[in-house]
Amino acid sequence: LECTGVFLKTPVLEPYLTKCGVKRVVVSAPVKDGMLNVVLGCNHQKLSEDKKILTNASCTTNCLAPVVKVVKEKFGIKH
């Protein structure tokens, strides 16, 4: 679990896997370089064995995404 907020790019997180022997890294902040942002109850089905570094998104995303998901499924959302 990476909770410092300092390591927010894949290249600086990879040494946890390659040098420290960690099997997975979960970042507690949003990482914006293509990493999977997981929100439980919304897109957790995208998790797979090959995902070694992922983020649990931001606190804002974790609060808002489940509500948006329900609204989208029940009423629809137009972009």
Side-chain angles (χ1 to χ4, degrees):
L1 193 55
E2 207 313 293
C3 298
T4 67
V6 175
F7 304 104
L8 298 177
K9 298 219 180 269
T10 301
V12 295
L13 291 162
E14 285 176 340
Y16 280 122
L17 302 169
T18 59
K19 295 183 179 175
C20 298
V22 172
K23 293 181 182 179
R24 286 196 172 58
V25 178
V26 178
V27 183
S28 67
V31 178
K32 298 180 179 172
D33 65 357
M35 187 177 300
L36 176 61
N37 281 291
V38 177
V39 179
L40 295 176
C42 292
N43 72 339
H44 62 277
Q45 67 280 3
K46 292 184 177 184
L47 288 171
S48 63
E49 281 294 317
D50 65 316
K51 304 288 186 205
K52 302 297 182 193
I53 303 175
L54 57 104
T55 174
N56 198 37
S58 68
C59 54
T60 304
T61 302
N62 276 289
C63 291
L64 185 61
V67 174
V68 171
K69 181 178 187 262
V70 170
V71 170
K72 181 179 177 187
E73 289 173 352
K74 289 283 186 184
F75 306 105
I77 296 176
K78 291 184 179 181
H79 295 273

